[in-house]
C-alpha cells in the first residue's frame, strides 16, 4: 500500500472510531434531554455506524466506499442539531468534523486503494476498444471456421 493511501486509511479509521465513541458519549453522558429509551438510542445512533466498522478495520476499499452513505446520516444529524439545538451546538460541530474527516478519508482511500488493486472502472473508450477487438476476433474466428 502506498504511503499516501495509508494516510487516508488511518484518517478514515481514526475518525470512524472517534465518531463511534463520540456518539456514545454524547447520547449516554452529555445529552440532557433523554426522552428516548436505551434500546432506541442504541438502534438509532450506534448500530448504523457500527455496520461498516469490521470492513474499515480490515481496510477493504468497497466497505470504505459504502461507509460514506452511512456517515452522511450522521452528518445530517450534526447539521440539524447545530441549527436547531443551541445548547448542543458544540457537540454537533464535533460530530460534523468527525464525519467530514471520515468521509474524506473513506472516499480517497477507496479510490486510491481500488486503483492499486485494479478494481477501478475502465474509461468508456477503453471498454469500447476492448469490446470491438473481442467481437472482431470472434468474427474472424467464425469466418475461419466456415472456410
Amino acid at each position: 500500500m502506498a504511503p499516501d493511501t495509508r494516510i487516508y486509511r488511518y484518517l478514515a479509521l481514526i475518525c470512524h472510531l472517534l465518531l463511534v465513541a463520540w456518539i456514545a458519549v454524547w447520547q449516554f453522558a452529555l445529552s440532557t434531554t433523554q426522552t428516548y429509551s436505551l434500546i432506541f438510542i442504541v438502534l438509532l445512533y450506534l448500530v448504523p455506524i457500527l455496520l461498516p466498522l469490521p470492513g474499515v478495520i480490515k481496510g477493504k476499499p468497497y466497505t470504505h466506499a459504502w461507509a460514506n452513505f452511512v456517515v452522511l446520516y450522521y452528518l445530517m444529524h450534526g447539521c440539524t442539531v447545530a441549527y436547531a439545538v443551541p445548547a448542543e451546538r458544540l457537540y454537533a460541530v464535533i460530530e460534523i468534523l468527525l464525519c467530514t474527516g471520515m468521509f474524506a478519508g473513506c472516499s480517497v482511500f477507496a479510490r486510491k486503494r481500488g486503483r492499486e488493486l485494479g478494481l477501478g472502472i475502465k474509461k468508456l473508450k477503453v471498454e469500447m476498444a476492448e469490446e470491438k477487438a473481442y467481437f472482431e476476433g470472434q468474427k474472424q474466428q467464425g469466418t475461419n471456421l466456415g472456410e
Side-chain angles (χ1 to χ4, degrees):
M1 183 181 313
D4 59 334
T5 304
R6 186 171 287 118
I7 289 171
Y8 288 106
R9 173 175 157 36
Y10 289 138
L11 175 66
L13 181 61
I14 290 168
C15 286
H16 194 154
L17 293 172
L18 288 174
L19 186 60
V20 169
W22 178 247
I23 294 296
V25 168
W26 181 6
Q27 295 303 319
F28 294 124
L30 299 175
S31 184
T32 56
T33 57
Q34 281 296 1
T35 57
Y36 304 118
S37 71
L38 180 65
I39 295 171
F40 182 77
I41 291 172
V42 169
L43 289 176
L44 188 68
Y45 291 109
L46 286 177
V47 169
I49 198 68
L50 291 174
L51 290 174
L53 190 58
V56 171
I57 289 172
K58 292 177 184 173
K60 296 183 176 183
Y62 184 77
T63 305
H64 280 76
W66 71 261
N68 283 331
F69 294 111
V70 176
V71 80
L72 288 178
Y73 168 73
Y74 293 93
L75 183 65
M76 288 188 314
H77 174 261
C79 291
T80 303
V81 171
Y83 177 77
V85 185
E88 295 187 355
R89 187 165 289 148
L90 177 62
Y91 305 153
V93 169
I94 293 170
E95 182 181 27
I96 291 168
L97 291 173
L98 290 172
C99 288
T100 304
M102 182 180 163
F103 187 86
C106 284
S107 298
V108 177
F109 173 76
R111 181 181 175 122
K112 287 181 170 284
R113 187 64 180 154
R115 284 187 177 173
E116 288 174 6
L117 297 173
L119 302 175
I121 298 172
K122 296 178 186 175
K123 293 192 177 205
L124 183 59
K125 65 180 181 180
V126 173
E127 185 72 30
M128 295 291 285
E130 288 177 0
E131 283 185 16
K132 182 178 178 184
Y134 173 78
F135 285 113
E136 285 178 353
Q138 290 287 358
K139 185 178 177 183
Q140 286 178 351
Q141 285 179 357
T143 56
N144 291 341
L145 292 176
E147 293 177 359

